[in-house]
Amino acid sequence: MMLSSWPPRRGGGISGAMGALGTGALVLFGKTKYILAALKLTKLASLGSMLLTVGTYSMFFGWPYAVGIVGLTVIHESGHALVMRHFGIPFSPMVFVPFIGASVAMNQQPRDAYEEALIALGGPVLGSLGAGAVAIGAHMTDSQLLYAVADFGFMVNLFNLMPIGSMDGGRITGALSPYAGVVGLGVGGGLIYTGAIQNPIFYLVMMAGTYSTFMRFYDPHSVPRNYYRITASQKVGIGGAYVGLIAALIAAMALNDRSKKNPEQLQRDRIGKELYYVD
């Protein structure tokens, strides 16, 4: 349903490395999809795929960071699940795929676009609160690890709010206007053109988004009649929550960046401490 554990490329360091691993993720997915398909047949789906994801991330970024970002992913997906439960919509166990994301799939279609938008909002709202709690912990302890984990949480939740296809933002803004998907494709295309995002998985997201946006216009009867007929107050509520959440995430990232150090700064600090102890 979304790509909550896959961040876009943002400079160097951890997030840049995550983007560079996108191609490898496709190969990894090809090798693990059969394992995950088997896990879905058992009650080990959530735990097994989560441990697989933590183990995979730990090989590149170490255990502490791996546990942190998977933990925030769990919180994000739990936000979707809580809203589904509120509306009485059955859902599948949470399943993870390394470098691609996590999913809590709906086993029943929402009654209308308003319910679908609220379900989509649930993930980024709870996920952002989780990232905010980690950021508070980082400021209280001056932990660069927690700053990095919080940065991941803010960035991924913001990224998922892009109005493209079946991403959270696409489902939210799709309730407001069918043209939101066109805008989202334009934004995504611009990010690819400028090189801001160079992850092959995002190309697949764009392809899926192009298809779903096209079908929204070409075959509007593919959804139940009046599915997108929601009230003006519902649209205002959805739109306000969407814009407000984006603004809050941008502000939180800016505040977090004031204290978060990049890998080069951390390396200089470590060298400085070593020279101090030598003297």
Side-chain angles (χ1 to χ4, degrees), residues 9-102:
R9 185 175 181 179
R10 183 172 175 238
I14 290 173
S15 55
M18 292 283 275
L21 289 168
T23 304
L26 295 177
V27 177
L28 179 64
F29 175 67
K31 294 180 179 298
T32 60
K33 63 182 180 180
Y34 302 108
I35 299 174
L36 294 178
L39 285 173
K40 286 182 180 181
L41 300 178
T42 75
K43 294 182 179 180
L44 297 177
S46 297
L47 179 61
S49 60
M50 181 175 66
L51 292 177
L52 173 65
T53 302
V54 171
T56 303
Y57 288 163
S58 69
M59 291 188 293
F60 298 97
F61 311 116
W63 284 103
Y65 184 78
V67 171
I69 63 176
V70 172
L72 287 182
T73 302
V74 171
I75 294 173
H76 179 115
E77 290 300 323
S78 296
H80 293 306
L82 287 172
V83 183
M84 290 180 206
R85 175 169 292 181
H86 172 75
F87 287 121
I89 298 174
F91 51 88
S92 68
M94 193 181 300
V95 176
F96 297 77
V97 179
F99 297 108
I100 292 181

Side-chain angles (χ1 to χ4, degrees), residues 4 65 68-77 122-140 143 145-159 245 248-253 255-257 260:
S4 61
Y65 184 78
I69 63 176
V70 172
L72 287 182
T73 302
V74 171
I75 294 173
H76 179 115
E77 290 300 323
V125 168
L126 193 61
S128 298
L129 290 175
V134 174
I136 291 173
H139 285 279
M140 292 177 63
S143 168
L145 170 63
L146 293 182
Y147 281 125
V149 173
D151 186 64
F152 170 89
F154 293 139
M155 178 173 56
V156 167
N157 282 285
L158 181 62
F159 177 76
L245 184 56
L249 282 168
I250 292 174
M253 289 179 68
L255 181 61
N256 196 64
D257 279 345
K260 181 175 67 70

Side-chain angles (χ1 to χ4, degrees), residues 142 144 147 256-257 259-266 269:
D142 195 29
Q144 287 301 314
Y147 281 125
N256 196 64
D257 279 345
S259 301
K260 181 175 67 70
K261 297 180 180 180
N262 61 40
E264 290 76 17
Q265 291 174 313
L266 292 174
D269 289 349

Side-chain angles (χ1 to χ4, degrees), residues 197-212:
I197 296 180
Q198 300 178 4
N199 195 311
I201 302 174
F202 185 66
Y203 305 156
L204 299 179
V205 172
M206 286 289 291
M207 291 173 59
T210 300
Y211 175 78
S212 62

Side-chain angles (χ1 to χ4, degrees), residues 96-183:
F96 297 77
V97 179
F99 297 108
I100 292 181
S103 174
V104 176
M106 292 182 287
N107 295 332
Q108 175 184 308
Q109 189 172 20
R111 288 178 296 181
D112 54 29
Y114 181 65
E115 280 194 3
E116 182 177 0
L118 291 181
I119 291 170
L121 264 171
V125 168
L126 193 61
S128 298
L129 290 175
V134 174
I136 291 173
H139 285 279
M140 292 177 63
T141 61
D142 195 29
S143 168
Q144 287 301 314
L145 170 63
L146 293 182
Y147 281 125
V149 173
D151 186 64
F152 170 89
F154 293 139
M155 178 173 56
V156 167
N157 282 285
L158 181 62
F159 177 76
N160 269 282
L161 289 171
M162 289 183 65
I164 299 175
S166 62
M167 294 179 68
D168 293 337
R171 294 179 182 274
I172 296 166
T173 58
L176 305 177
S177 170
Y179 294 99
V182 178
V183 174

